[in-house]
Amino acid sequence: MKLVLTGAAGRLGSYLREPLAQLADEFVSTDIVDDIGNLYDGERYVKADLAELDDMMAVLKGADMVVHMGAYADEAPFEKLFGPNFVGAYNVWEAAYQNGVKRVIYGSSIHAVGMHPKNEFIGTDAPHRPDTFYGLAKCFAEDLGRMYWDKRGVESVHMRILSCAQVTGARALGSWLSYDDLIHLVQRCIETPVTGFSVIYGVSDNDRVPVDNSKASFIGYRPKDNAEQFAKDILANDPPMDPQNPEHMCHGGPFASVPLGNSGIAQMDIIDDTKQN
Ligand SMILES: NC(=O)c1ccc[n+]([C@@H]2O[C@H](COP(=O)([O-])OP(=O)(O)OC[C@H]3O[C@@H](n4cnc5c(N)ncnc54)[C@H](O)[C@@H]3O)[C@@H](O)[C@H]2O)c1
């Protein structure tokens, strides 16, 4: 099986490269950076721009599946997201179709549905309700994936990741996706024999999980980690919640309250723990 990983130089990509290199017969990692550092056994790196269809056509040549994680991974003005996130998604699906790729496994986000209130235990069929242009790009890619399945038979699994980063605040007690569970989720998305078009939330087995994955249980994703282990320390230090603040009340957290075009990540305490090889 030939597998391609976009966004390979990113934080999530850094945790996926080694297990995907082991899983695939042929593994190509790709990103826009010049150099990705030391390669794992069986890995080949190709520099490519998501916004260029020719680049995507070349990296997906002969591939069976692509794990598409490359993006500008924050809220920003529409013009900044347009190339990597909107055109990039089109290029990945179009190149997948033209190259006969069976399945796209996509790093979607809770921000596609981020304006839904958190006290609604939303399922994978909740209507799109983006909180930002960034979330809107995730909605676009999900709809693209649905259309390429309906009209062209390209399968896709859309992993709506909640927050895959170290637990540093109260929101993450519900939204955390551990790196081990991320790897397991991506493996299940690859190994499930038939997926058609599917959506699944990327979240660990947290006591406070705010979303419902029951309609995607056929994928066999059974997370093992639980953010409750951090609750005592986090809640001792976190300021009280404000029921009038969308940041506290909506699934999108800080992205639900930032003005359109302004960074949501800047409001979060993300630790850069990119895995080094
Ligand atoms: N980290 C999270 O909690 C989280 C949550 C929801 C969704 N996601 C999604 O998962 C994916 C990976 O997230 P991450 O946290 O690793 O982000 P990241 O910013 O660390 O990695 C994204 C990678 O995409 C690459 N990229 C950007 N523009 C490109 C272009 N034009 N061509 C080729 N590559 C380009 C970047 O160089 C970077 O290495 C993203 O699509 C993100 O939206 C992440």
Side-chain angles (χ1 to χ4, degrees), residues 7 9-13 31-33 48-51 69-73 84 107-110 134 138 161-165:
R11 193 162 50 80
L12 273 46
D31 202 290
I32 203 165
V33 302
D49 185 351
L50 288 164
M69 304 299 284
Y72 186 80
S108 188
S109 167
I110 189 68
Y134 168 78
K138 299 298 186 189
I161 297 166
L162 277 72
S163 55
C164 190

Side-chain angles (χ1 to χ4, degrees), residues 72-77 80-81 132-134 247 254-268 270:
Y72 186 80
D74 191 6
E75 172 62 342
K80 187 164 181 130
L81 299 168
T132 42
F133 291 126
Y134 168 78
E247 172 173 351
F255 281 60
S257 63
V258 289
L260 286 178
N262 286 30
S263 169
I265 297 281
Q267 316 297 317
M268 299 165 89
I270 305 267

Side-chain angles (χ1 to χ4, degrees), residues 124-219:
T124 47
D125 52 2
H128 283 161
R129 199 168 169 183
D131 51 29
T132 42
F133 291 126
Y134 168 78
L136 184 69
K138 299 298 186 189
C139 297
F140 171 74
E142 288 191 1
D143 280 355
L144 196 70
R146 172 160 253 162
M147 188 179 76
Y148 270 71
W149 166 244
D150 285 342
K151 301 295 285 279
R152 291 179 160 178
V154 179
E155 290 193 321
S156 53
V157 186
H158 300 255
M159 305 178 294
R160 278 190 199 152
I161 297 166
L162 277 72
S163 55
C164 190
Q166 289 187 28
V167 178
T168 52
R171 173 174 178 263
L173 296 175
S175 64
W176 185 50
L177 172 65
S178 72
Y179 294 122
D180 284 347
D181 285 336
L182 167 73
I183 292 164
H184 164 60
L185 173 60
V186 172
Q187 281 177 343
R188 290 310 309 147
C189 292
I190 292 168
E191 287 171 353
T192 299
V194 174
T195 63
F197 163 85
S198 297
V199 174
I200 184 163
Y201 289 106
V203 65
S204 282
D205 186 25
N206 306 322
D207 285 5
R208 305 175 197 225
V209 70
V211 290
D212 178 8
N213 255 338
S214 55
K215 287 189 176 155
S217 70
F218 76 95
I219 290 174

